[in-house]
Structure formats: C-alpha cells, structure tokens
C-alpha cells in the first residue's frame, strides 16, 4: 500500500470521510473520548452506524461502499439515496451529501464545514475542487487493508480485561486504532485543545495502523503510551524490524507494513509487535499487567483454568 501510488486518491477520500464524520459528530450523542465519531468497518466499506432521532430527525446511516464505489444514505424507514464517488470533487461530494440528507428529511448542520488538521483547513469543503482524484482500485484496497487490520486489532483487544475502546477508524487522522486504559486520570495542560483534552483525559496505550502521511510516508502499525513514561524507548520491541520513532515530542513504536508482510507469519508478527509495545508502556507506567490480562478473551478464572 505505498503512499506515493495512491496519495491523490487518499487525500480525496480523507476529505470525503471528514465531511461525513462531521455529520456523525453533529448527529450522534456525545461519548467519552469521542468514541461516538469514528467509523466502523462493514462488508463493503465503512459506516457511521445509525444516528439521528434528534428534534424529529429520522434515524439514518451513511455508508461508504468501496465495492460499488458509492455513498449510500439510508433512513430507518428504508428510504435510500446513493451517488457515485467516481470523478467527484470534495465540493461536489459535500453538496450531494447535504442534498441527499435534505431529500430524506434529515436536518444536520456541520458546525465547522472545512477540513480538520489538514493543510487546507481554512478552505470550506464547498470550495474544494482541487481534490477530485478517486481510483477505485486503490479505494477498494484501502478498505481491504482496513478490514484485515481490524480483525488483527480485534484479536489483540481480546487480551485485555480493563477499559478498552472499540476498534474504529478515525476520519480526522485517517487511521484505525484500539486503545487500552489504565484507569488513572491525567491532567492536561491549560493550552491543550478540546479534542486532545477529551481523548487523553486518562492514561492510555494505543495501538493502530495508518497509511502514511507527510511526516512518515510508510504505511505502518504503531503504538504509543500517553503520557509517555520515562525510559520507554529502552524497552525492546518485537520483531527485530520494529523500532521506536520520535514524533511530536514523544515516541511511537513502529512496525512498517512492508516489514510485517515480509515476515514468515505476518499476522503473528503484528500481534507480537502490539504485545511488545503494550508491555513496554505498561511496565514503565506501572500498570498491573497480570490483573488486566484476559487470556483468549476470557475473564472468568474458572473458565481460564486459573481457579478450580
């Protein structure tokens, strides 16, 4: 999944997902750590999940179909409007999405109708005719990679009995992730923005995959501990190709996608990488690793064989 091969398509899809993600943000009940806003995987693409039912707005879902390459808007009553993603600029996508919602009786106002944390953040979606590349082959591969990574993250998530997020696809950072929590509160500095304050209000170790960006072009599996404990990078990572990478004043544990694919057992290598990164952060931050363990997704000691 080399970034250079599909960068233009990725930049367009990223902005498409931000349009829909901001609709999800406006039309869903607030959840801790912003868990209401990410997307989930489906058998054909990604979905907002059902939302709405506010001030008479019908329950509705928005789905990206990366098999048929359409955006599909559906209400609980079964009414559907769909349009093609091919040859579509961000401005056109934004207009057609809002028109579809209006035709279905859905009234949603996007609070900030422009990209979040992207180079063109000052330009409204409605004016973006620059991003209009959409290669269906790469769009489909993006979804296929997401789907496979999601299953690996689901398997890894099963080994933790504490508070843990769903495996979800974030539209603002365009990654897929799962996060474990120690339960300890973290006081954010006064200058922290509202997104950061809520996302990192508690101590976490997060695990995920991203497709590459301007700062780190390689698609890669990653993990980080926040706040980062002292001497984290002294901890070993598995497999040998994994490494600690400086980023934004802290460090990421990184296993490049191509390095994982080159292993004799790629899935096993990724699971071992996530486990090594977890143990690194948990040890240095003083988590109760044994108490939080959940072997094979089972918490009952009678079922795990640790108690008669």
């Amino acid at each position: 999944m080399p970034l250079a091969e599909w960068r233009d398509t990725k930049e367009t899809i990223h902005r498409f997902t931000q349009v829909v993600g901001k609709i999800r943000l406006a039309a869903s009940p607030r959840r801790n750590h912003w868990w209401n806003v990410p997307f989930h995987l489906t058998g054909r693409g990604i979905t907002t999940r059902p939302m709405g039912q506010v001030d008479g707005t019908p329950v509705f879902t928005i789905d990206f179909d990366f098999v048929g390459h359409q955006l599909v808007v559906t209400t609980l009553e079964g009414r559907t409007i769909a349009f093609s993603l091919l040859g579509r600029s961000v401005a056109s996508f934004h207009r057609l999405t809002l028109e579809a919602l209006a035709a279905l009786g859905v009234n949603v106002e996007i609070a900030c109708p422009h990209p979040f944390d992207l180079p063109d953040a000052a330009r409204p979606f409605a004016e973006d005719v620059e991003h209009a590349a959409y290669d269906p082959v790469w769009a489909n591969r993006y979804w296929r990679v997401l789907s496979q990574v999601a299953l690996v993250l689901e398997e890894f998530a099963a080994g933790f009995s504490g508070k843990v997020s769903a495996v979800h696809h974030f539209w603002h950072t365009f990654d897929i992730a799962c996060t474990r929590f120690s339960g300890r509160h973290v006081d954010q500095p006064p200058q922290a923005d509202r997104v950061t304050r809520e996302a990192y209000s508690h101590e976490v170790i997060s695990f995920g995959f991203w497709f590459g960006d301007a700062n780190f072009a390689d698609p890669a599996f990653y993990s980080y501990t926040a706040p980062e404990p002292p001497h984290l990078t002294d901890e070993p990572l598995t497999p040998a190709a994994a490494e600690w990478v400086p980023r934004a004043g802290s460090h990421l544990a990184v296993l490049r996608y191509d390095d994982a694919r080159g292993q004799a057992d790629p899935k096993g290598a990724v699971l071992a990488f996530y486990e090594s990164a977890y143990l690194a952060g948990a040890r240095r931050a003083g988590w109760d690793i044994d108490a939080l363990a959940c072997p094979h997704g089972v918490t009952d000691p009678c079922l795990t064989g640790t108690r008669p």
Side-chain angles (χ1 to χ4, degrees):
M1 200 73 193
L3 178 61
E5 296 293 324
W6 76 299
R7 187 188 301 272
D8 291 344
T9 293
K10 174 181 176 286
E11 294 301 322
T12 300
I13 294 176
H14 193 172
R15 286 158 179 80
F16 285 178
T17 61
Q18 288 215 358
V19 172
V20 175
K22 291 196 173 200
I23 293 170
R24 171 74 190 174
L25 178 61
S28 61
R30 175 75 172 267
R31 290 284 308 280
N32 56 194
H33 313 295
W34 305 106
W35 288 354
N36 57 303
V37 297
F39 299 132
H40 289 187
L41 275 292
T42 73
R44 295 180 67 92
I46 56 179
T47 181
T48 59
R49 294 160 287 150
M51 52 190 169
Q53 209 168 38
V54 178
D55 297 332
T57 297
V59 177
F60 69 104
T61 303
I62 303 179
D63 293 88
F64 286 89
D65 178 352
F66 293 119
V67 178
H69 303 289
Q70 293 184 313
L71 188 82
V72 183
V73 186
T74 306
T75 67
L76 192 63
E77 294 76 24
R79 299 175 64 204
T80 297
I81 293 178
F83 61 83
S84 175
L85 299 172
L86 298 170
R88 189 78 59 204
S89 69
V90 172
S92 172
F93 177 88
H94 174 260
R95 175 178 56 80
L96 289 176
T97 301
L98 295 185
E99 288 178 355
L101 292 173
L104 293 171
V106 176
N107 181 23
V108 176
E109 182 176 346
I110 301 176
C112 300
H114 49 79
F116 176 81
D117 200 27
L118 291 176
D120 57 334
R123 176 172 56 191
F125 294 127
E127 298 176 9
D128 184 2
V129 295
E130 173 190 356
H131 296 99
Y134 186 96
D135 184 327
V137 173
W138 284 111
N140 180 265
R141 190 177 299 184
Y142 144 72
W143 161 69
R144 287 160 61 95
V145 170
L146 274 179
S147 298
Q148 293 183 70
V149 173
L151 291 177
V152 176
L153 282 168
E154 292 282 3
E155 184 172 339
F156 176 71
F160 189 75
S161 66
K163 177 178 174 177
V164 60
S165 76
V167 174
H168 38 210
H169 182 26
F170 287 97
W171 46 263
H172 63 297
T173 45
F174 212 62
D175 60 341
I176 186 168
C178 178
T179 301
R180 295 176 174 182
F181 292 74
S182 70
R184 294 195 285 257
H185 177 75
V186 175
D187 290 323
Q188 292 294 327
Q191 67 271 22
D193 62 81
R194 61 194 300 263
V195 175
T196 300
R197 296 189 71 85
E198 179 61 29
Y200 299 108
S201 62
H202 288 72
E203 188 178 53
V204 302
I205 305 177
S206 193
F207 314 86
F209 172 84
W210 81 82
F211 292 92
D213 57 26
N215 296 314
F216 194 96
D218 294 324
F221 302 92
Y222 70 83
S223 175
Y224 61 85
T225 302
E228 182 174 310
H231 310 296
L232 176 65
T233 58
D234 292 341
E235 295 287 333
L237 294 172
T238 301
E243 61 180 323
W244 294 104
V245 175
R247 183 162 172 122
S250 57
H251 295 86
L252 290 174
V254 169
L255 175 63
R256 288 168 174 81
Y257 186 51
D258 287 345
D259 288 337
R261 294 176 71 229
Q263 302 291 316
D265 176 10
K267 186 182 84 166
V270 175
L271 289 171
F273 165 70
Y274 284 147
E275 182 66 16
S276 68
Y278 167 65
L279 292 175
R283 289 192 192 108
R284 290 293 176 174
W287 292 27
D288 191 336
I289 295 171
D290 291 338
L292 293 170
C294 183
H296 308 294
V298 178
T299 58
D300 190 319
C302 292
L303 297 178
T304 60
T306 58
R307 191 174 72 189

